[in-house]
Amino acid sequence: MNALLAPMRRYRKEAALAVTGTVGEVVMEVFLPFIMAYIIDEGVEAGNLTAVLVYGAAMLVMAALSLGFGMMAGYFSAKASIGYGCALREKIFDKVQTYSFANIDRFSTAGLVTRMTTDVTNVQMASQMLMRIAVRSPIMLISSLVAGMAISLDLSPVFFAAIIFLATALGVIVVFSTRIFNVVFDAYDDLNASVQENVAAIRVVKAFVREAYENEKFRAAADKLYRLFVRAEGLVALNNPVMMLAVYGCIIALSWLGAQLVVGSSMTTGELTSLFSYVMQILMSLMMLSMIVVMLTMSLASGRRIAEALDEQPDIANPAEAACSVADGSIDFDHVGFAYAHGDGEDVLQDIDLHIASGETIGIIGGTGSGKSSLVSLVSRLYDATEGTVRVGGLDVRAYDLETLRDAVAVVLQKNVLFSGTVAENLRWGAPDATDEELWAACDAAQASEFLRQLPEGLEARVERGGVNFSGGQKQRLCIARALLKRPKVLILDDSTSAVDTATDARIRAAFDTLIPGTTKIIIAQRISSVEHADRIVVMDGGRIDGVGAHEELLATNDIYRSVAASQAEGTGDFDIAAPSAAQD
């Protein structure tokens, strides 16, 4: 609750004004039936036009005040709730930025998106209802009940009977409907996941003509959500007929019993009319309370999901006394083991013992699932090793300030990501203050200048979301240029030249020696040609190191490497085909 309520503290003033306006509105409405009784008894039945005008003017004033208080409550409750929703989304987003990959794996991307959209909207709506209806209904219920009992204590059992009946019926409806609402949000996650996956992979969907299959998958998720909502809303829809049954039953009982009291001169006509108004106010208050219970139940389910995201402790955090500088680019893996926290529990890496000198160029090659990407993800603490120690610059990576460590390590991932904006804005992720000359120098080194200079806008060329208006090879080269601008102590290329031709790949590697000569370079690749000039090459197989050495040395001593080199020289296959002994996904 503290996590959920903290953002509302910014809007305490608006919330207090909303509650004040609601109370004022209710007070004015409660007095209106009293005044109406006087108009009927002292004005209409007595034939006193002056009393009618005086009491009528009083009603107009109260109605105007009620309207003013209502507008005040509506404005400030909307301002507070919308602001609260915005602040809550910001808080969740800020929290997600602190997550490690393992934390994100736990929730899934679709689950986090649902929490920041649908769940926050539910909580936002609930907060507005709490400031308005949850304040209005209890006050209206109690005030109308007291006023009705003050008019006629003899007829009060009718009120209580109606209240008990309506409360019991609405309680049953709420209990059964909320059970369904608790399941609805998991269905939302499935629906969002289906949309996200389809949109992200739309080119693959079209290439394989799988639109019909994807439509059917989405339809199934949407249909599940539809059926759950129909069941829940079908129960909630019973509120109105139950309410009408209670209202009309109460009116009939009051008419019958009240008429006898009027005939017996124990009650005036105006008082009986006021009682009808108070009965409606009492029952409407109960009806609104039932709506609040349903909405709060939905919002509590959403609130729990939001609280889970806010209370989640990042698996990776800064130590108490973090080191704020990286001495050099040396990397040491001391008998490292690693398993994904939300995987199948099996070790992805086993007993990795590898020592890399600062400024050395290391190639890593291996079959699919051999642990290449997992290994380099430990260098910048995207994950933490489950066994052994990883050191950068002679210091355990867990001893560094995260920003310091990650600023010293530039990673170009296998899946290249560009953000919407301009080319220059994307490149300046690597160096926010870089000049245009520095941007062009990085593009020259990454072999991106050639196609950029052909664009009329050059560095100001527009990048669509995800970089869809650039080819795979162009995106790879832009991402390499972005990494080079960081002037990192360690540069990791995770199969990030797979979409460029061999000649371009060679020119990029040659540029590294000129632009970042002292940087430690780790190159993960499937092509032998991408790593054969490295100082040393690491051959991985099944999460273990199968061999380490220079190109010629591995050709002589390592069966896997020799087999791959032979097959690629003949142009007959890639690493996985040539090395069937490597672990496969």
Side-chain angles (χ1 to χ4, degrees):
M1 289 300 295
N2 288 334
L4 289 175
L5 293 177
M8 179 57 85
R9 296 192 183 104
R10 300 188 204 173
Y11 301 94
R12 284 177 291 189
K13 179 181 177 182
E14 289 82 356
L17 288 171
V19 171
T20 301
T22 300
V23 172
E25 182 185 20
V26 171
V27 169
M28 293 299 105
E29 290 185 10
V30 168
F31 278 111
L32 284 174
F34 263 122
I35 306 300
M36 186 183 299
Y38 283 113
I39 289 178
I40 293 173
D41 293 337
E42 298 182 15
V44 177
E45 291 192 347
N48 186 346
L49 183 60
T50 301
V52 172
L53 292 175
V54 170
Y55 289 126
M59 286 188 71
L60 285 174
V61 171
M62 288 184 179
L65 287 173
S66 177
L67 177 63
F69 281 124
M71 292 174 63
M72 170 184 168
Y75 172 77
F76 284 108
S77 65
K79 188 174 182 180
S81 62
I82 293 171
Y84 170 61
C86 181
L88 193 56
R89 285 190 180 93
E90 289 177 359
K91 188 173 182 180
I92 299 171
F93 189 81
D94 289 343
K95 183 70 175 186
V96 170
Q97 299 307 303
T98 69
Y99 284 179
S100 68
F101 283 9
N103 294 117
I104 294 173
D105 291 344
R106 178 188 168 200
F107 287 103
S108 82
T109 304
L112 290 172
V113 169
T114 303
R115 283 167 170 81
M116 282 190 280
T117 51
T118 304
D119 288 327
V120 170
T121 299
N122 287 338
V123 172
Q124 175 184 313
M125 291 174 61
S127 69
Q128 186 169 13
M129 291 181 72
L130 284 171
M131 286 181 277
R132 292 279 283 143
I133 301 176
V135 173
R136 174 189 175 87
S137 298
I139 297 176
M140 179 70 78
L141 176 64
I142 295 170
S143 301
S144 298
L145 189 58
V146 170
M149 292 175 65
I151 292 173
S152 175
L153 199 59
D154 293 335
L155 294 180
S156 60
V158 175
F159 297 156
F160 288 107
I163 290 172
I164 292 171
F165 165 75
L166 190 58
T168 302
L170 294 179
V172 172
I173 292 171
V174 166
V175 168
F176 283 98
S177 62
T178 51
R179 291 178 183 175
I180 303 171
F181 280 126
N182 285 332
V183 183
V184 161
F185 300 106
D186 289 334
Y188 264 124
D189 285 350
D190 294 340
L191 190 69
N192 282 340
S194 178
V195 173
Q196 185 180 35
E197 185 178 51
N198 181 272
V199 173
I202 191 64
R203 296 188 178 191
V204 178
V205 172
K206 291 185 176 297
F208 284 87
V209 197
R210 298 290 283 176
E211 291 91 343
Y213 171 79
E214 288 294 319
N215 287 341
E216 185 58 36
K217 188 168 70 172
F218 177 82
R219 190 177 294 111
D223 185 62
K224 179 183 178 182
L225 189 62
Y226 163 78
R227 285 185 280 106
L228 287 170
F229 260 118
V230 167
R231 286 171 59 193
E233 296 292 347
L235 289 170
V236 173
L238 293 175
N239 281 355
N240 282 332
V242 169
M243 172 71 179
M244 291 300 102
L245 178 62
V247 168
Y248 290 129
C250 205
I251 289 175
I252 291 171
L254 284 177
S255 298
W256 174 258
L257 298 174
Q260 296 181 42
L261 293 176
V262 171
V263 171
S265 300
S266 299
M267 179 183 289
T268 67
T269 304
E271 289 175 335
L272 181 59
T273 304
S274 297
L275 280 178
F276 287 141
S277 297
Y278 286 127
V279 165
M280 289 297 296
Q281 288 180 351
I282 290 170
L283 298 181
M284 285 300 296
S285 297
L286 277 175
M287 181 72 173
M288 287 189 289
L289 282 174
S290 73
M291 291 171 56
I292 290 173
V293 172
V294 173
M295 186 64 210
L296 284 180
T297 302
M298 291 176 60
S299 65
L300 284 174
S302 291
R304 281 193 294 270
R305 287 161 53 85
I306 292 171
E308 285 177 0
L310 293 175
D311 293 338
E312 175 79 359
Q313 294 302 312
D315 291 348
I316 296 175
N318 283 327
E321 296 181 2
C324 293
S325 64
V326 179
D328 55 45
S330 63
I331 303 170
D332 297 286
F333 295 91
D334 285 339
H335 301 285
V336 168
F338 173 68
Y340 288 101
H342 303 288
D344 57 12
E346 294 185 5
D347 286 343
V348 177
L349 298 173
Q350 303 172 48
D351 195 30
I352 302 296
D353 196 59
L354 178 65
H355 304 278
I356 303 171
S358 182
E360 193 174 10
T361 298
I362 297 293
I364 301 180
I365 198 163
T368 304
S370 61
K372 306 183 299 297
S373 297
S374 300
L375 179 67
V376 295
S377 68
L378 304 180
V379 176
S380 55
R381 283 197 79 191
L382 299 179
Y383 294 96
D384 269 340
T386 50
E387 295 177 11
T389 304
V390 179
R391 292 195 298 273
V392 173
L395 193 62
D396 191 329
V397 292
R398 289 168 288 199
Y400 283 110
D401 171 74
L402 282 171
E403 288 190 10
T404 299
L405 175 64
R406 291 173 181 171
D407 196 46
V409 180
V411 182
V412 183
L413 299 172
Q414 184 175 9
K415 184 177 180 181
N416 301 284
V417 177
L418 295 175
F419 298 88
S420 55
T422 66
V423 170
E425 288 170 348
N426 272 272
L427 294 176
R428 287 194 173 102
W429 275 58
D433 299 325
T435 63
D436 284 356
E437 290 74 16
E438 290 171 326
L439 297 184
W440 280 117
C443 290
D444 288 340
Q447 304 302 305
S449 297
E450 181 180 353
F451 69 85
L452 282 178
R453 294 187 190 281
Q454 293 177 359
L455 300 176
E457 304 90 347
L459 292 174
E460 298 305 315
R462 186 72 187 169
V463 179
E464 301 299 332
R465 187 174 64 175
V468 295
N469 55 328
F470 289 92
S471 70
Q474 290 172 338
K475 285 193 289 186
Q476 284 188 337
R477 282 174 276 175
L478 288 173
C479 289
I480 292 171
R482 182 172 62 189
L484 291 175
L485 282 164
K486 290 182 69 173
R487 293 292 194 273
K489 287 185 168 62
V490 178
L491 174 64
I492 299 172
L493 303 179
D494 187 357
D495 205 17
S496 51
T497 57
S498 58
V500 301
D501 59 84
T502 305
T504 302
D505 185 11
R507 288 195 295 270
I508 292 173
R509 285 186 281 104
F512 290 166
D513 295 332
T514 303
L515 194 63
I516 49 172
T519 296
T520 302
K521 295 169 279 292
I522 300 178
I523 303 171
I524 297 176
Q526 290 286 343
R527 294 188 305 218
I528 293 286
S529 60
S530 296
V531 298
E532 64 181 344
H533 298 292
D535 297 318
R536 286 186 296 162
I537 301 167
V538 178
V539 180
M540 297 196 66
D541 183 21
R544 294 179 178 273
I545 294 178
D546 187 76
V548 180
H551 174 67
E552 296 298 333
E553 181 182 354
L554 289 174
L555 285 176
T557 62
N558 190 272
D559 292 337
I560 295 178
Y561 190 83
R562 185 167 51 248
S563 175
V564 174
S567 66
Q568 291 187 1
E570 297 170 1
T572 58
D574 62 14
F575 190 96
D576 289 327
I577 294 174
S581 62
Q584 303 293 312
D585 281 339

